[in-house]
Amino acid sequence: MNKSPYEVFHYTVEKDNIDRGLCDIARHFVPEYRNSTDKDLTITRLNGGITNILYLVEDKSIENKPKDIPVVIRLYGYKSEEIIDRKNELVVQTEADMNGLGAKFYGLFDNGCIYGFIPGNPLEHEDLSNSKIQGLVAKEIAEWHSIEMPTRKNPSLWNTIKKWAALAPLDQYPEEKKNQYYQTLNVRQMIEESKQLEKTLATLNSPIVFCHNDLLSRNIIVNAEQDHASFIDFEYANYNFRGFELANHFNEYAGFGPDYKLYPSREQQEHFISEYLKVTQKLKASEEPSKEDIHKLYVECNQFSLASHLFWGFWSIVQAMNSEIDFDYLEYGKAHIILYLSFFLFLFLYQTQLFYFIIRMTSIQNLESVDPFAEESSIGGDTSTINYIHIRIFQRSGRKAVTTIESLPKNCNFKKILSHFKKTFSCNGSLVEDELIGTVIQLQGDHRKEYSNNYYFPIRHNLNNLIITIIISKKNLEITHPLQFCFCIKSTHINIY
C-alpha cells in the first residue's frame, strides 16, 4: 500500500484571530471547502483536550459529504513539543491512516494539524464501565497491539518519564504563589520512586506492543451503527508495555476529577481482559481465555497502575508551567501522585501481610458510620458471614491501658506484625495464645487515634511521612486498586477519602 500523502503548509493560526486562521487552513487542505466563505464555515470548539485545543470545521451547505469531512483542526498547546515527539506523532498519524486505524490525515501547518472527522460519539468517562462498550474498546486496543509501526520498538514509558522529570523544578517553582503547593509534590522523591518502580515492574515481563498510551474517554469514538470503537489523538502513541496501556485506560475510568469510586471493579476488569485476550489469542467465538491468563494480566495491569500515576504526575508538572489552557494541572498531578503513594503502600502492606483490622467491605460513604471498636451487635447489617478482627482497649486501674488485637488470619506472620507495631508505636508488646480465639497481639498503651469522628487504627510508614488507615476485607485480599479497599490517607498536606 502506498504511503499516505500529507502536505505541510507554512501558516500560523494567530491567537487573536483564530476563526479566520481556521477557515484559511480548512480551505487550503480540503478540496470541498476551497470555495467556502468564512460565513459558510461553522467552527465548533470540541471538549476534552488538555494538551491541545480541537476545533470542528464544517460547511453545512455541502450535500452528499464525502466520509472525510467535516474536519478537525488541532492547535498545538504552547510548548507542547517539550512533552510530545511531533516527528513520531507524524509517523504514527500517517501509518494509522494507511492501516485504517484513524481518520484521513490531511497534513500539518506551523502550529497544528488537520484530519478527518470520525463519525460517532466521543465517550464520557461514565460510559467506560458499560460492558458492551468495554468489549468494543478492548477489541480495538487488541487490534492496535497487533500492528507493526516503523518507529523504535523500545518501550517509551521510562524514557518519557525521565524526560518530563528532567523538566520539573527540583526546588523552586517558577510561580512564587504556587511554590508552597508545589513542594507538597515531593519531586525529588518521585524521581527516586520512578527508578525503583522501573526495576520492580521489569519482573512482570509485560510484552512490548504498539500502544495509544492516552485512552481517556474523549479519545474514544463509538459508532453505534457499525458497532465499532475508534481512537483519536495519537500524540503519545508509541511502543510500550501492554500492562501500561490497559492500566492507564482503567485509571481513566475516574475522569479528570479524578473520582476513583468509578475505577473498574475486579469483575469489570476481568470482563475487559477476557474480551482483549479473545482477540490477541485469536480464539473462536465459542472459546474463552483461561482463568490463569486472565488473572495474570489482571495483576499485571493493576501493578502498572503505579506507572500510569507517575507518568501523568510528571506530565502535569510540565504542563502547569507551559500550558495556556484553563485547567488546574498541578491539582491533577497531585491527585496522581497521591494515588501512586496510596497504591504503593497498599502493595507493600499486602505483600508483607501487615493487615491490622477488618471492617465489613462497604462503600466509602458507609465507613463514616462504622466504629471498628464497637461490639459486633452494634455495627448493624448482616454479620453472619463476615469475620472481624477485633481491636479492644482495656483500661487497668492505676496502670497503663492495653490494646489487644484478636482474630487475625491464621496464616499471618504474627512475629513480623508484632515487631512492626512495637517499632511503630514505641511500645512493648507480646503474643498470647488463647484456646478459643488463637493468637492475640497485646500492646502496652491505648493506640487508637481519632480520625473523622471515628476511631481507626493508624499505621505509620516512613514513606513521605504519611499516616495511613487501612480497611481491608478478608474475602478480598487480591491485589487491586487501593480505593476499592477504602484507603484513608492523611499527612500535613494531603487528604483522601
Side-chain angles (χ1 to χ4, degrees):
M1 183 179 295
N2 294 330
K3 187 174 180 62
S4 174
Y6 68 91
E7 182 185 353
V8 177
F9 180 32
H10 292 295
Y11 182 102
T12 300
V13 176
E14 302 293 344
K15 289 194 298 183
D16 58 354
N17 201 356
I18 289 178
D19 285 4
R20 176 59 186 273
L22 295 175
C23 290
D24 287 346
I25 293 295
R27 280 190 291 263
H28 179 86
F29 282 101
V30 184
E32 292 81 3
Y33 291 174
R34 290 282 157 78
N35 298 320
S36 300
T37 67
D38 288 3
K39 291 183 178 181
D40 293 331
L41 295 173
T42 301
I43 298 172
T44 305
R45 180 168 174 171
L46 302 176
N47 296 325
I50 56 173
T51 304
N52 309 292
I53 302 176
L54 305 178
Y55 295 92
L56 179 70
V57 182
E58 181 178 12
D59 185 341
K60 296 183 178 181
S61 67
I62 297 176
E63 299 179 357
N64 301 319
K65 296 180 179 65
K67 67 175 183 177
D68 299 316
I69 62 173
V71 293
V72 175
I73 298 178
R74 183 198 306 163
L75 297 184
Y76 298 150
Y78 179 65
K79 288 189 176 182
S80 60
E81 67 276 3
E82 291 189 356
I83 59 173
I84 295 168
D85 184 343
R86 294 297 181 191
K87 292 182 179 179
N88 181 78
E89 180 193 7
L90 177 59
V91 172
V92 172
Q93 191 86 55
T94 54
E95 291 291 325
D97 181 2
M98 186 177 70
N99 285 279
L101 291 176
K104 173 180 173 60
F105 183 63
Y106 286 92
L108 302 171
F109 52 97
D110 292 345
N111 59 335
C113 64
I114 177 172
Y115 48 87
F117 179 77
I118 295 178
N121 295 312
L123 299 180
E124 301 292 341
H125 66 274
E126 295 90 349
D127 299 325
L128 296 175
S129 59
N130 179 283
S131 60
K132 182 176 181 179
I133 289 176
Q134 279 192 312
L136 297 178
V137 174
K139 180 180 178 180
E140 185 68 4
I141 291 178
E143 294 292 343
W144 271 65
H145 289 184
S146 67
I147 65 173
E148 292 287 329
M149 279 284 181
T151 59
R152 289 169 294 182
K153 302 298 190 291
N154 297 325
S156 61
L157 173 62
W158 302 114
N159 285 337
T160 302
I161 286 179
K162 290 171 186 175
K163 174 184 175 181
W164 294 344
L167 297 172
L170 295 179
D171 300 305
Q172 188 74 18
Y173 189 72
E175 194 174 345
E176 179 62 30
K177 65 180 182 179
K178 294 183 179 180
N179 184 60
Q180 183 175 359
Y181 185 90
Y182 179 74
Q183 298 308 317
T184 67
L185 302 183
N186 297 303
V187 172
R188 290 181 185 274
Q189 180 184 330
M190 290 302 102
I191 292 173
E192 293 305 312
E193 290 292 327
S194 68
K195 295 175 183 178
Q196 294 302 315
L197 185 62
E198 180 177 2
K199 296 177 183 178
T200 300
L201 295 183
T203 62
L204 295 174
N205 295 315
S206 181
I208 299 168
V209 293
F210 185 73
C211 299
H212 184 282
N213 292 320
D214 189 23
L215 287 175
L216 52 86
S217 59
R218 303 295 290 185
N219 283 344
I220 302 171
I221 309 296
V222 171
N223 188 320
E225 293 181 1
Q226 297 180 6
D227 218 23
H228 179 72
S230 300
F231 302 153
I232 60 172
D233 289 359
F234 307 148
E235 295 172 303
Y236 304 96
N238 213 330
Y239 278 88
N240 217 342
F241 300 104
R242 172 187 67 179
F244 176 82
E245 175 91 301
L246 300 183
N248 190 65
H249 176 61
F250 289 156
N251 281 341
E252 294 296 350
Y253 279 51
F256 289 144
D259 180 3
Y260 272 87
K261 288 179 286 187
L262 298 176
Y263 188 84
S265 65
R266 176 170 183 169
E267 181 181 0
Q268 289 172 322
Q269 290 183 56
E270 289 183 339
H271 169 69
F272 188 100
I273 290 169
S274 177
E275 294 300 308
Y276 171 86
L277 290 175
K278 286 178 184 178
V279 178
T280 59
Q281 295 180 352
K282 299 180 180 179
L283 301 180
K284 297 178 181 178
S286 59
E287 296 177 319
E288 295 288 337
S290 69
K291 292 182 179 179
E292 292 76 13
D293 287 345
I294 293 173
H295 180 73
K296 180 181 178 181
L297 186 48
Y298 167 77
V299 173
E300 178 185 322
C301 291
N302 280 277
Q303 294 202 25
F304 264 96
S305 178
L306 288 164
S308 170
H309 290 309
L310 278 184
F311 185 87
W312 296 113
F314 283 115
W315 172 90
S316 298
I317 293 171
V318 178
Q319 281 291 86
M321 295 187 293
N322 295 333
S323 180
E324 297 174 335
I325 296 174
D326 183 17
F327 184 78
D328 194 340
Y329 293 98
L330 283 184
E331 183 65 28
Y332 184 68
K334 180 179 178 179
H336 279 289
I337 289 174
I338 292 172
L339 288 160
Y340 167 83
L341 292 170
S342 66
F343 200 8
F344 173 88
L345 287 164
F346 172 77
L347 292 177
F348 167 79
L349 294 165
Y350 175 84
Q351 292 166 351
T352 53
Q353 296 187 4
L354 295 177
F355 302 124
Y356 297 98
F357 68 89
I358 296 172
I359 294 178
R360 183 173 48 163
M361 189 67 173
T362 58
S363 69
I364 293 176
Q365 290 84 353
N366 287 344
L367 293 177
E368 296 176 358
S369 61
V370 177
D371 181 354
F373 300 97
E375 294 298 323
E376 284 190 43
S377 59
S378 67
I379 294 177
D382 180 12
T383 62
S384 60
T385 60
I386 301 169
N387 294 319
Y388 293 89
I389 289 178
H390 299 281
I391 299 176
R392 307 184 192 280
I393 308 299
F394 294 95
Q395 185 64 56
R396 298 178 295 177
S397 177
R399 302 171 66 184
K400 287 186 177 181
V402 173
T403 302
T404 65
I405 308 168
E406 307 168 4
S407 304
L408 282 89
K410 294 181 180 179
N411 62 350
C412 280
N413 188 331
F414 288 94
K415 290 184 178 179
K416 180 180 289 188
I417 294 176
L418 175 63
S419 175
H420 182 84
F421 273 137
K422 289 166 66 177
K423 182 177 180 180
T424 299
F425 300 112
S426 301
C427 67
N428 291 324
S430 61
L431 298 178
V432 178
E433 296 297 330
D434 185 280
E435 292 184 0
L436 296 178
I437 59 178
T439 305
V440 178
I441 296 177
Q442 286 190 351
L443 302 170
Q444 286 188 1
D446 182 346
H447 300 290
R448 296 173 299 179
K449 185 173 180 68
E450 189 167 350
Y451 188 90
S452 297
N453 299 320
N454 287 299
Y455 287 107
Y456 293 127
F457 207 80
I459 307 158
R460 288 174 176 80
H461 187 270
N462 61 9
L463 181 65
N464 205 31
N465 296 317
L466 295 182
I467 298 174
I468 317 156
T469 300
I470 303 171
I471 303 165
I472 302 177
S473 167
K474 279 184 181 179
K475 297 169 64 178
N476 292 282
L477 293 184
E478 290 290 349
I479 295 175
T480 186
H481 196 281
L483 295 189
Q484 289 180 297
F485 280 73
C486 304
F487 260 60
C488 295
I489 297 182
K490 181 178 180 181
S491 73
T492 304
H493 305 292
I494 298 172
N495 286 283
I496 291 184
Y497 298 95

Coordinates of all heavy atoms in Angstrom, one line a residue, residues 45-49 54 56 72 117-128 133 137 216-224 228-233:
R45 N -15.7 24.5 18.9 CA -14.6 24.0 19.8 C -15.1 22.7 20.4 O -16.2 22.6 21.0 CB -14.2 25.0 20.8 CG -13.1 24.6 21.7 CD -12.5 25.6 22.6 NE -11.5 25.1 23.6 CZ -10.7 25.8 24.3 NH1 -10.8 27.2 24.2 NH2 -9.9 25.3 25.2
L46 N -14.2 21.7 20.4 CA -14.6 20.4 20.9 C -14.0 20.3 22.4 O -13.0 20.8 22.7 CB -13.9 19.3 20.1 CG -14.4 19.3 18.6 CD1 -13.6 18.2 17.8 CD2 -15.9 19.1 18.5
N47 N -14.8 19.6 23.2 CA -14.4 19.5 24.6 C -13.4 18.3 24.8 O -13.4 17.4 24.0 CB -15.6 19.2 25.5 CG -16.6 20.3 25.5 OD1 -16.2 21.5 25.4 ND2 -17.9 20.0 25.5
G48 N -12.7 18.4 25.9 CA -11.9 17.2 26.3 C -10.4 17.4 26.2 O -9.7 16.7 26.9
G49 N -9.9 18.3 25.3 CA -8.4 18.4 25.2 C -7.8 19.2 26.3 O -8.2 20.3 26.6
L54 N -9.0 21.6 20.2 CA -9.5 21.0 19.0 C -10.7 21.8 18.5 O -11.6 22.2 19.3 CB -9.9 19.5 19.3 CG -8.9 18.6 19.8 CD1 -9.5 17.2 20.1 CD2 -7.7 18.5 18.9
L56 N -13.9 21.7 15.4 CA -14.6 21.0 14.3 C -14.9 22.1 13.3 O -15.6 23.1 13.6 CB -15.8 20.3 14.8 CG -16.7 19.6 13.7 CD1 -15.9 18.4 13.2 CD2 -18.0 19.2 14.3
V72 N -11.3 18.1 11.6 CA -10.9 18.5 12.9 C -9.6 19.2 12.8 O -8.6 18.6 12.1 CB -10.8 17.3 13.9 CG1 -10.3 17.8 15.2 CG2 -12.2 16.7 14.1
F117 N -12.9 13.9 10.3 CA -13.8 13.7 11.5 C -14.3 12.3 11.4 O -14.8 11.8 10.4 CB -15.0 14.7 11.4 CG -15.9 14.5 12.6 CD1 -15.6 14.9 13.8 CD2 -17.2 13.9 12.4 CE1 -16.5 14.8 14.9 CE2 -18.1 13.7 13.4 CZ -17.7 14.2 14.7
I118 N -14.2 11.5 12.5 CA -14.7 10.2 12.6 C -16.1 10.2 13.1 O -16.4 10.7 14.2 CB -13.8 9.3 13.6 CG1 -12.4 9.2 13.0 CG2 -14.4 7.9 13.8 CD1 -11.4 8.4 13.9
P119 N -17.1 9.7 12.4 CA -18.5 9.7 12.8 C -18.7 8.8 14.0 O -18.1 7.8 14.2 CB -19.2 9.2 11.6 CG -18.2 8.4 10.8 CD -16.9 9.1 11.0
G120 N -19.5 9.3 14.9 CA -19.8 8.6 16.1 C -19.8 9.5 17.3 O -19.8 10.7 17.2
N121 N -19.9 8.9 18.5 CA -20.0 9.7 19.7 C -18.8 9.6 20.6 O -18.4 8.4 20.9 CB -21.2 9.3 20.5 CG -22.5 9.6 19.8 OD1 -22.7 10.7 19.3 ND2 -23.4 8.6 19.7
P122 N -18.1 10.7 20.9 CA -17.0 10.6 21.9 C -17.5 10.2 23.2 O -18.6 10.6 23.6 CB -16.4 12.0 21.9 CG -17.4 12.9 21.4 CD -18.3 12.0 20.5
L123 N -16.9 9.3 23.9 CA -17.4 8.8 25.2 C -17.1 9.8 26.4 O -16.3 10.6 26.3 CB -16.7 7.5 25.6 CG -16.9 6.3 24.6 CD1 -16.1 5.1 25.1 CD2 -18.4 6.0 24.4
E124 N -18.0 9.7 27.4 CA -17.7 10.3 28.7 C -17.1 9.3 29.6 O -17.3 8.1 29.3 CB -19.0 10.9 29.2 CG -19.8 11.9 28.4 CD -19.0 13.2 28.2 OE1 -18.1 13.5 29.1 OE2 -19.2 14.0 27.3
H125 N -16.5 9.7 30.6 CA -15.8 8.7 31.4 C -16.8 7.7 32.1 O -16.4 6.6 32.4 CB -14.8 9.3 32.5 CG -15.5 10.2 33.5 ND1 -15.8 11.5 33.4 CD2 -15.9 9.8 34.8 CE1 -16.4 11.9 34.5 NE2 -16.4 11.0 35.3
E126 N -18.0 8.2 32.3 CA -19.0 7.3 32.9 C -19.4 6.2 32.0 O -19.9 5.1 32.4 CB -20.3 8.1 33.3 CG -20.0 9.1 34.4 CD -19.7 10.5 33.9 OE1 -19.4 10.6 32.7 OE2 -19.6 11.5 34.7
D127 N -19.2 6.4 30.7 CA -19.5 5.3 29.7 C -18.6 4.1 29.7 O -18.9 3.1 29.2 CB -19.5 5.9 28.3 CG -20.5 7.1 28.1 OD1 -21.6 7.0 28.7 OD2 -20.2 8.0 27.3
L128 N -17.4 4.3 30.2 CA -16.3 3.3 30.1 C -16.7 2.0 30.8 O -16.2 1.0 30.4 CB -15.0 3.9 30.6 CG -14.4 5.1 29.8 CD1 -13.2 5.6 30.5 CD2 -14.1 4.7 28.3
I133 N -19.6 -1.4 25.7 CA -18.5 -0.5 25.3 C -17.1 -1.1 25.7 O -16.2 -1.0 24.9 CB -18.7 0.9 25.9 CG1 -19.9 1.6 25.2 CG2 -17.5 1.8 25.8 CD1 -20.3 2.9 25.8
V137 N -14.0 -1.4 23.0 CA -12.7 -0.8 23.3 C -11.6 -1.8 23.4 O -10.5 -1.7 22.9 CB -12.8 0.1 24.6 CG1 -11.4 0.6 24.9 CG2 -13.8 1.2 24.4
L216 N -8.1 8.0 27.3 CA -9.2 8.6 28.1 C -10.5 8.6 27.3 O -10.5 8.4 26.1 CB -8.8 10.1 28.5 CG -8.3 11.1 27.4 CD1 -9.5 11.8 26.8 CD2 -7.3 12.1 28.1
S217 N -11.5 8.9 27.9 CA -12.9 8.7 27.3 C -13.0 9.5 26.0 O -13.6 9.0 25.0 CB -14.0 9.0 28.3 OG -13.9 10.4 28.7
R218 N -12.6 10.7 26.0 CA -12.9 11.6 24.9 C -12.0 11.2 23.7 O -12.2 11.8 22.6 CB -12.6 13.1 25.2 CG -13.4 13.6 26.4 CD -14.9 13.6 26.1 NE -15.3 14.6 25.1 CZ -16.5 14.9 24.8 NH1 -17.5 14.2 25.3 NH2 -16.8 15.8 23.9
N219 N -11.0 10.4 23.8 CA -10.2 9.9 22.7 C -10.7 8.6 22.1 O -10.1 8.0 21.3 CB -8.8 9.7 23.2 CG -8.0 11.0 23.3 OD1 -8.4 12.0 22.8 ND2 -6.9 11.0 24.0
I220 N -11.9 8.2 22.6 CA -12.6 7.0 22.0 C -13.9 7.4 21.4 O -14.8 8.0 22.1 CB -12.8 6.0 23.2 CG1 -11.5 5.6 23.8 CG2 -13.5 4.8 22.6 CD1 -11.6 4.8 25.1
I221 N -14.1 7.1 20.1 CA -15.3 7.4 19.4 C -16.0 6.1 19.1 O -15.4 5.2 18.5 CB -15.0 8.1 18.0 CG1 -14.1 9.3 18.3 CG2 -16.3 8.5 17.4 CD1 -14.6 10.4 19.1
V222 N -17.3 6.0 19.5 CA -18.0 4.8 19.3 C -19.1 5.1 18.3 O -19.9 6.0 18.4 CB -18.7 4.3 20.6 CG1 -19.7 3.1 20.3 CG2 -17.6 3.8 21.6
N223 N -19.1 4.3 17.2 CA -20.1 4.3 16.2 C -21.1 3.2 16.5 O -20.9 2.0 16.2 CB -19.5 4.1 14.8 CG -20.5 4.4 13.7 OD1 -21.6 4.0 13.7 ND2 -20.0 5.1 12.6
A224 N -22.3 3.6 17.0 CA -23.3 2.6 17.4 C -23.8 1.8 16.2 O -24.1 0.6 16.3 CB -24.4 3.3 18.1
H228 N -18.6 -0.3 16.5 CA -17.2 -0.2 16.4 C -16.7 1.0 17.2 O -17.3 2.0 17.3 CB -16.8 0.0 14.9 CG -15.3 0.1 14.8 ND1 -14.5 -1.0 14.9 CD2 -14.5 1.1 14.4 CE1 -13.2 -0.6 14.7 NE2 -13.2 0.7 14.4
A229 N -15.5 0.8 17.8 CA -14.8 1.9 18.5 C -13.6 2.3 17.8 O -12.8 1.4 17.2 CB -14.4 1.5 20.0
S230 N -13.3 3.6 17.7 CA -12.1 4.1 17.0 C -11.4 5.1 18.0 O -12.0 5.6 18.9 CB -12.5 4.9 15.7 OG -13.1 4.1 14.8
F231 N -10.1 5.2 17.8 CA -9.3 6.1 18.7 C -8.8 7.3 17.9 O -8.6 7.2 16.7 CB -8.1 5.3 19.2 CG -8.5 4.1 20.0 CD1 -7.6 3.0 20.1 CD2 -9.7 4.0 20.6 CE1 -7.9 1.9 20.8 CE2 -10.0 2.8 21.4 CZ -9.1 1.8 21.4
I232 N -8.7 8.4 18.6 CA -8.2 9.6 18.0 C -7.1 10.2 18.9 O -6.8 9.7 20.0 CB -9.3 10.7 17.9 CG1 -9.9 11.1 19.2 CG2 -10.4 10.2 16.9 CD1 -10.8 12.3 19.2
D233 N -6.4 11.2 18.4 CA -5.3 11.9 19.1 C -4.1 10.9 19.4 O -4.1 10.3 20.5 CB -5.8 12.6 20.4 CG -6.7 13.8 20.1 OD1 -6.8 14.1 18.9 OD2 -7.2 14.4 21.0

